[in-house]
Each structure stands twice: as structure tokens, then as C-alpha cells.
Amino acid sequence: MSEQATVKRIAEICQQIHQYNHQYYVLDEPSVPDAEYDRLMRELLALEAEFPQLKTMDSPSQKVGGAALKSFSQVTHQLPMLSLDNVFSPDEWQAFVKRIKDRLKSEHDFAICAEPKLDGLAVSLRYENGVFVQAATRGDGSVGENITENVRTIKSIPLRLQGDDYPDILEVRGEVFMPKSSFESLNQQAIKKGEKGFANPRNAAAGSLRQLDSKIAAKRNLAFYAYGIGYVGASETNDDQGVDETWLANSHYQRLCQIKALGLPMCPEVKLLDNADKVDAFYQDILQQRDALSYEIDGTVFKVDDIELQEQLGFVARAPRWATAYKFPAQEELTILEAVDFQVGRTGAITPVARLKPIFVGGVTVSNATLHNQDEINRLGIQINDTVIIRRAGDVIPQIVSVVLDRRPENAQVISFPSECPVCQSAVMKAEGEAVLRCTGGLYCQAQRKEAIKHFASRKAIDVDGLGDKLVEQLVDEGLIKTPADLFKLTELDVSTMERMGKKSADNLINGLLAAKTTTLAKFVYALGIREVGETTASNLAFYFLTFDAIKLATEEQLQQVPDVGVIVAKNIVNFFAQSHNVEVVEELEAIMSWPTIEVKSDDELPLKDQTFVLTGTLSQMGRNEAKAALQALGAKVSGSVSAKTHYLVAGEKAGSKLTKAQDLGVSVLTEDEMIALINA
Ligand code: I6G
């Protein structure tokens, strides 16, 4: 190809790849398969290798990283990069609003731009004549570090602005962050290599931006959301010698939309609120969505939207008076490990439970946390009376993150595991390759008995109306039942003569048990409480083997043919049916309970045969179980986790990390409507 033809071809490819990048990383709407993208990128790299003089600063090839730097140079910000003040409570928020009104000498409502507060790093991006030329950290607000080469590799940051309506010099301020799913896979890779990993996505993002070798940063899957505009100006070479003042909107929200129109990513949760009274609802809404969001946040940010008002309000020290972060309750706090108890679970697992000096963290008072197993205790190096950092994120159970060794007191005590089951005194054992210590008492152990029956009767299992956890405990404690099958032998008299049980509750229970006798094969298999056989696996087993006898008799190899069943789960299933006490109970249950036969369909009736689906987020029209059953009835496999083998991810509302992972893997994503259309096709 001649040089002239190459110039034209390179321009075409660059334009095409810029568009694909924007569709994929900013709009979340991939338009071509990965293979097509890769083919174009390879063609570009080959042409640039042949004609290095044609490589431009904004070429998409620059996103893969370049030569390593010796150190980061410094960048003086043309406009200071400010930080934000914080408020932590409704009172503090009201005080913030009052300060604004007092300063403006006005009682008028004002519009507010509301944003989630990303837990990332503030950066300033500089575009000159539409081309990305520099990125800098906030640093001390006046001088930051030049991290251009690393930021250049961030896929969603355009190296050239879209369109042609922008100032000669435009600085965009925003937050670089690592999405939760990228953070998890990065840490998993680190753990596989025997490395420590990062404590949280923010540290991972900071560590990635601090790499002198931008090729490493390029592999880290960082992302960016713009939160404002910094310096705007005319270039020295511009004959007009001035900025088009009309370019900048006089609303903060509109400015974000302007940046978005230039191809920069804007956080989709940003909203314009009419007045300060709407702030609480936004805060609560984001707090409630927090776990489902694909990125980590630590609060919300509220800004007076009107730029004129912003200018009147000005700044204090290093923060604007017109904006504040409204932080969520701290998710990490210090407390003391006062004691360790050992609990026996449904499968006999003996779990050390930390008894903590009560502490308010993540919005609730926490006094217990699981310590998981001996490996975890060793990893933390924790002892009784140590000061520990406790973390409670969203609805996730509280966790001990680390020990503050500097504060270890003289009376610290090593944690020792029991040599016998704390409930039934049977021997304890640790299976090869497992970190968990288990009681060998099986259903002889009261703790296991109670948990097995609670699980059997639970809503997602056979769902016995009128039988709560407390009642199961009472029935076991009073010696009325020992196994799930014993439930069906209870008489109204047995129950009504129990303490705190009236005739009405007894009737309810007996009726509930009668109704629960008819179930489905999937629920029955799940109800047995076989280790690691959750609802999805149980349902997959039912649809694969069709009868309970076939499941009982399956070999490990046959079981491994079922989606979601790997070596360990297959072993657990075979072991379960090899235990005589389980067989006895299961046979009794088979005699009492029934479920409809699963119809065998021909391949023609199974249009989704061999297609693996994963469901995530809230399905508003069908409900998760109904959708699962409908897909399985058409031959589809429904799996609980996204992998390279997944064909479709059905993303309902508030889909979180599974959606991000599916997008990372190039898995087709369906909306609920699209799934319903597929089912009804
Ligand atoms: O550090 C920041 C994070 C997020 C910010 C910020 C923000 O808005 C969503 N906004 C401003 C105005 C500043 N820092 C100074």
C-alpha cells in the first residue's frame, strides 16, 4: 500500500475503533463482536509498524501502553484541583443548606446536581484541540503527578473528543476507579500467584496509576467518570485569542452532559434535583443501590447546580462552598476481639465466631463476626484481646479485615480450636485439602439435626408454612423430631401440647406439612441440604436426570456432566447418598412426598438446548424462579455464575458485577423483555 493510501486507511480504522470504544466502554452498547475489533486493531498495529511516522498521539494503539518511565514528572494545575467538604448526617446537611442560603441572602430553593461519590482517585484530563495530551493527579491541589501514559490506556477515555464543538483547551475533572468485577479478578489472579492482592478497589486503582510501566496499567481495566470541568481556554495559536464563552453551560448538570456529548463517560446515576428537599431520597436510593452498583462508592455528592450561584458562593480553603460530599456511615471501625466461640453448622462445619466489643459500623451495631476457619485465623494472625479493624459493607456480613498489631496487649491469647464437637462431643476431623474442621456426629449431632431440618422446611426448599426456626429448635429440644422425615409424623396433639403452642398454631403446622408433601423434584433435591448443592444446582440436577432415582444412582462422572457440577459437588452428592443415615431418611421421605414427573421433550421442542443462561438483577415481570423454569423447559441450562461458557446473561434491574463480568467476557446480554420474547418465540 502506498503511504497516501495508508494514511487514509489508518484514519478510517482509527475513526472506526474510536466509535467502537465509545459504544462499548461509554455507552455500554457493544456494536461488533470482539473478533472484529481485534482484527481492526491488528491491522492498525501492522500499518503503524510499517509506517511509524503515521502513528498519532490519539491513535487507539496508544491504549496498550508504551515504554516504561523512570519517574513521574510534575504538573502544575492551571486551575487548582479542589477537594470536597463532608457532611455525615441530616443535621449537618441542613446546616450546609442554611450556610448557602445565608451567604446568598436568599430563602429561594436552588437546583442541586446529585452524584454518587466514587471511591477512586481524582484526576484532571487535558485536551488540546480535541486531542488528549495530559492527565494529572490532584496531588496537593496545585501540583500533581503526570500520569498521562497510564491514563491514556483507560479504555473509556477518548484520545480524541467527538464532534468539533469544544474549546481549544479543555480540562475535564473526574474520578479514575476500578470496577468491582475487575478488582475481584485482579485479586484472584494475585492470590493464584501467591501475591497479597489489594485491600480495596481504590488501592488497586491508585496502585495501577502509580505504575511506571503503562503496559501494566493497560491490563488493569480502570474506568473513569467525569465530575466537572477545570480550565477552559483558547490556544496560543488561535487567532481569535479567546474562549467562546457561550460554550460553557451555566448549569453544572448541563456541563456534565456537554462533556458526555464529547465522548467522555458520565456516571449514569447522576441526577438533577429541583431542590434540597430531594436530597434525602437520592441519598437513600444510592445507599440502597450501593451493593448492586458495579463500582465502589462511599457516599453521595451534592452541588449547587447554577454556575452563577457557585461563583457567588466561592471557596473556603481548598473546597468549594457550593458542594459537599454526604458520606455513608463508615464501613470500617476499630474494636476489640473479646472471645471466640465455635458454632456447628448444618453440614457439621465448626466455625469460629468472633465475639466483639459492640461497635457501630456500616449503619448497625456489630458484636459478632465470622472468622471462617483456622486458615483465616492464621492469615489474620489474630489473638483474643487484639484490636481489630472490622468492616461491614452493605448487607454483607461483618468481616474482620486485619489486626492492629501495634495495639496487641500483654493478655493476648492464642485461639485454639476444640478437639471435640462443642455440641455433641463427637470427634472432629479435617478432610484432606479442606480448611474447615467438621463434627463427625452427622444427624446424631443436635446442631446438625436442627440446621438440616430448618433448611429442609425453608421457603426455597419444601416451604412448610407455620414452621419457623424457633419451632424447629423447640421440636428437636423436646425430642419430638430427629430428622426431616419425622416432621410428617407429628400429630396435632404432639404439637398443641408443646409449650407456647395453641391449637391454632398446631393446626397451621399440620396443614402446612400436608401442603408441603407435594413439591417439585428440584426443591426436594435442594431441601436435602447436600453440601454445595444450592437451588440452581438442584434444579439443573432435576432437569438433567429427570428422576430422583437417577440422581441417587449417578456416578461422579455422570454428575459432572450437569451444569454447575464440578468434581467437589459431584463427590458431595455421591458421599451424601453413601451415608446410611441419609439413605434411611431419604427413603422415608420418598414414601411420604411426591412431585410431578418432568416431561421428556424431543430436541425439536427444546429450542434453547445446550444454551447456558445466567440470570441477574431484579426481573420485574417474571420473577427469577419462574424465568428459570421457563428457560429450562425449553432445554436451556441456567447457571449461577458467568463464565466463558455462558451464552446469555439476562440482566434485570440493578444488575451488578455479573453484568460487568459478562461484558468483559463478551457474553450476549439480554433484557428481561428480550428473554421473554425468546421464551415466547
Ligand atoms: O473529589 C471529587 C469527587 C467527586 C470532587 C467532586 C466530585 O463530584 C462528584 N466534585 C468536586 C467539585 C470536587 N471534587 C472538587
Side-chain angles (χ1 to χ4, degrees):
M1 211 189 294
S2 71
E3 185 162 335
Q4 204 184 4
T6 312
V7 171
K8 189 162 167 268
R9 180 66 190 140
I10 286 183
E12 272 166 18
I13 302 176
C14 287
Q15 203 269 334
Q16 190 64 269
I17 297 184
H18 282 316
Q19 188 186 337
Y20 291 159
N21 277 345
H22 184 68
Q23 284 162 336
Y24 189 97
Y25 293 107
V26 181
L27 304 180
D28 249 359
E29 285 165 3
S31 56
V32 285
D34 289 355
E36 168 63 7
Y37 182 94
D38 295 343
R39 195 189 59 71
L40 274 181
M41 187 61 107
R42 274 198 303 275
E43 188 183 343
L44 177 65
L45 291 172
L47 290 174
E48 288 182 346
E50 201 181 336
F51 298 95
Q53 71 279 18
L54 300 182
K55 199 188 289 183
T56 57
M57 262 171 95
D58 63 340
S59 163
S61 64
Q62 300 304 295
K63 287 213 166 279
V64 293
L69 303 173
K70 294 221 160 49
S71 64
F72 294 115
S73 59
Q74 294 201 322
V75 172
T76 302
H77 299 300
Q78 224 159 330
L79 276 185
M81 275 190 86
L82 303 166
S83 43
L84 285 173
D85 276 341
N86 296 313
V87 299
F88 291 92
S89 66
D91 285 351
E92 289 180 13
W93 165 254
Q94 289 306 338
F96 170 80
V97 175
K98 182 167 182 312
R99 274 197 304 277
I100 289 182
K101 291 190 171 172
D102 288 352
R103 233 182 158 43
L104 294 175
K105 297 194 178 60
S106 156
E107 272 309 307
H108 280 303
D109 280 343
F110 48 88
I112 290 183
C113 183
E115 307 170 44
K117 177 143 184 14
L118 273 76
D119 208 3
L121 289 104
V123 298
S124 183
L125 313 180
R126 186 175 169 100
Y127 288 86
E128 287 180 4
N129 300 312
V131 177
F132 168 78
V133 291
Q134 182 179 280
T137 60
R138 171 155 42 207
D140 63 5
S142 308
V143 179
E145 274 180 327
N146 184 337
I147 50 165
T148 309
E149 295 318 314
N150 287 336
V151 170
R152 192 189 291 289
T153 67
I154 298 177
K155 313 275 195 312
S156 58
I157 293 185
L159 298 182
R160 167 175 285 284
L161 297 177
Q162 278 182 2
D164 50 15
D165 185 19
Y166 42 74
D168 297 344
I169 300 172
L170 172 66
E171 285 189 359
V172 175
R173 304 258 159 103
E175 200 93 1
V176 168
F177 61 97
M178 185 174 281
K180 288 177 191 166
S181 62
S182 310
F183 167 70
E184 274 155 29
S185 42
L186 179 67
N187 264 6
Q188 268 163 18
Q189 283 166 25
I191 288 163
K192 260 193 213 146
K193 286 194 230 152
E195 295 164 5
K196 204 161 158 263
F198 290 101
N200 53 47
R202 186 179 191 283
N203 288 4
S208 308
L209 286 182
R210 252 180 240 124
Q211 293 291 333
L212 288 168
D213 181 355
S214 54
K215 288 205 170 64
I216 300 181
K219 292 196 186 113
R220 289 288 171 84
N221 246 333
L222 296 171
F224 174 83
Y225 281 144
Y227 66 66
I229 292 181
Y231 179 76
V232 170
S235 75
E236 279 157 25
T237 54
N238 184 339
D239 294 340
D240 302 342
Q241 286 295 304
V243 193
D244 178 4
E245 290 290 339
T246 59
W247 186 83
L248 277 171
N250 56 12
S251 136
H252 179 80
Y253 181 79
Q254 291 307 333
R255 286 188 176 186
L256 292 181
C257 296
Q258 282 184 296
I259 311 177
K260 188 176 171 198
L262 297 178
L264 281 143
M266 164 180 167
C267 175
E269 276 67 43
V270 174
K271 262 196 178 152
L272 183 59
L273 311 178
D274 303 339
N275 56 54
D277 294 345
K278 304 268 166 73
V279 157
D280 189 50
F282 181 86
Y283 173 95
Q284 294 300 341
D285 182 41
I286 297 290
L287 181 58
Q288 198 247 320
Q289 286 187 54
R290 184 183 197 171
D291 290 342
L293 292 174
S294 60
Y295 48 86
E296 200 76 66
I297 56 172
D298 59 358
T300 45
V301 177
F302 296 106
K303 298 177 182 169
V304 173
D305 187 63
D306 186 322
I307 304 290
E308 257 175 50
L309 295 184
Q310 286 188 3
E311 282 165 4
Q312 283 178 43
L313 289 162
F315 308 90
V316 247
R318 302 211 153 272
R321 283 202 189 89
W322 42 264
T324 189
Y326 191 161
K327 290 283 200 75
F328 295 148
Q331 293 191 302
E332 287 189 357
E333 281 294 351
L334 288 178
T335 189
I336 309 276
L337 174 68
E338 293 185 329
V340 175
D341 289 342
F342 292 89
Q343 269 178 1
V344 186
R346 175 166 63 82
T347 58
I350 298 177
T351 311
V353 180
R355 304 295 179 207
L356 303 162
K357 183 161 179 231
I359 179 81
F360 190 74
V361 58
V364 296
T365 301
V366 170
S367 42
N368 304 315
T370 174
L371 278 164
H372 302 285
N373 52 47
Q374 182 75 60
D375 286 1
E376 175 72 353
I377 289 175
N378 296 347
R379 189 186 72 78
L380 289 166
I382 191 172
Q383 299 192 0
I384 294 169
N385 294 328
D386 266 340
T387 297
V388 295
I389 298 177
I390 170 108
R391 180 175 170 81
R392 183 185 177 272
D395 292 336
V396 178
I397 50 171
Q399 279 193 323
I400 295 176
V401 181
S402 58
V403 174
V404 185
L405 284 176
D406 293 354
R407 297 207 193 171
R408 174 161 288 166
E410 280 189 2
N411 66 347
Q413 277 169 47
V414 171
I415 300 164
S416 48
F417 270 66
S419 53
E420 55 182 39
C421 171
V423 175
C424 72
Q425 283 73 50
S426 297
V428 294
M429 60 153 239
K430 203 185 257 188
E432 216 186 283
E434 266 199 26
V436 181
L437 192 69
R438 283 180 201 280
C439 160
T440 55
L443 289 181
Y444 166 75
C445 175
Q446 261 206 30
Q448 293 181 62
R449 228 183 265 164
K450 282 182 183 168
E451 298 310 313
I453 299 171
K454 282 182 203 169
H455 173 79
F456 180 79
S458 63
R459 202 173 47 77
K460 290 178 181 170
I462 69 155
D463 189 14
V464 182
D465 232 17
L467 183 62
D469 287 358
K470 284 270 162 312
L471 185 50
V472 171
E473 295 196 4
Q474 209 182 337
L475 288 163
V476 175
D477 287 341
E478 294 192 16
L480 287 169
I481 55 170
K482 286 199 168 70
T483 73
D486 292 343
L487 281 171
F488 297 103
K489 297 174 203 155
L490 288 170
T491 64
E492 203 189 299
L493 187 67
D494 287 338
V495 184
S496 60
T497 49
M498 279 167 64
E499 230 177 276
R500 295 189 303 276
M501 284 294 279
K503 181 166 166 6
K504 189 148 182 278
S505 320
D507 275 352
N508 276 351
L509 176 59
I510 301 299
N511 288 336
L513 284 163
L514 201 64
K517 279 187 183 176
T518 315
T519 183
T520 63
L521 177 56
K523 286 187 177 198
F524 181 69
V525 172
Y526 171 68
L528 295 178
I530 304 170
R531 265 168 56 201
E532 292 178 55
V533 176
E535 271 181 291
T536 305
T537 308
S539 169
N540 288 340
L541 286 165
F543 279 93
Y544 185 89
F545 288 106
L546 304 172
T547 68
F548 188 60
D549 279 343
I551 299 175
K552 269 196 307 193
L553 297 173
T555 62
E556 283 182 33
E557 291 70 32
Q558 289 166 333
L559 287 162
Q560 282 175 49
Q561 302 307 310
V562 180
D564 277 355
V565 177
V567 181
I568 294 176
V569 177
K571 256 195 195 5
N572 289 345
I573 298 169
V574 169
N575 282 346
F576 180 89
F577 290 113
Q579 309 281 325
S580 58
H581 58 260
N582 289 336
V583 174
E584 270 171 41
V585 176
V586 163
E587 283 177 355
E588 271 188 85
L589 288 171
E590 281 184 87
I592 301 166
M593 301 188 64
S594 63
W595 46 84
T597 315
I598 300 176
E599 270 177 55
V600 188
K601 292 194 175 161
S602 69
D603 279 6
D604 299 350
E605 293 170 289
L606 300 172
L608 300 181
K609 192 169 178 322
D610 296 332
Q611 302 289 303
T612 303
F613 285 69
V614 174
L615 307 177
T616 191
T618 314
L619 301 182
S620 50
Q621 302 175 58
M622 271 190 115
R624 192 72 75 85
N625 286 337
E626 201 191 332
K628 192 155 73 172
L631 289 168
Q632 283 171 335
L634 297 172
K637 295 170 187 165
V638 181
S639 169
S641 53
V642 177
S643 73
K645 290 189 194 149
T646 309
H647 294 95
Y648 296 100
L649 177 91
V650 180
E653 268 172 55
K654 299 189 187 143
S657 56
K658 284 186 191 169
L659 174 57
T660 324
K661 185 161 181 199
Q663 286 163 342
D664 288 348
L665 291 171
V667 170
S668 302
V669 177
L670 300 181
T671 60
E672 186 178 3
D673 284 340
E674 286 167 334
M675 174 192 72
I676 293 173
L678 202 63
I679 290 171
N680 295 333

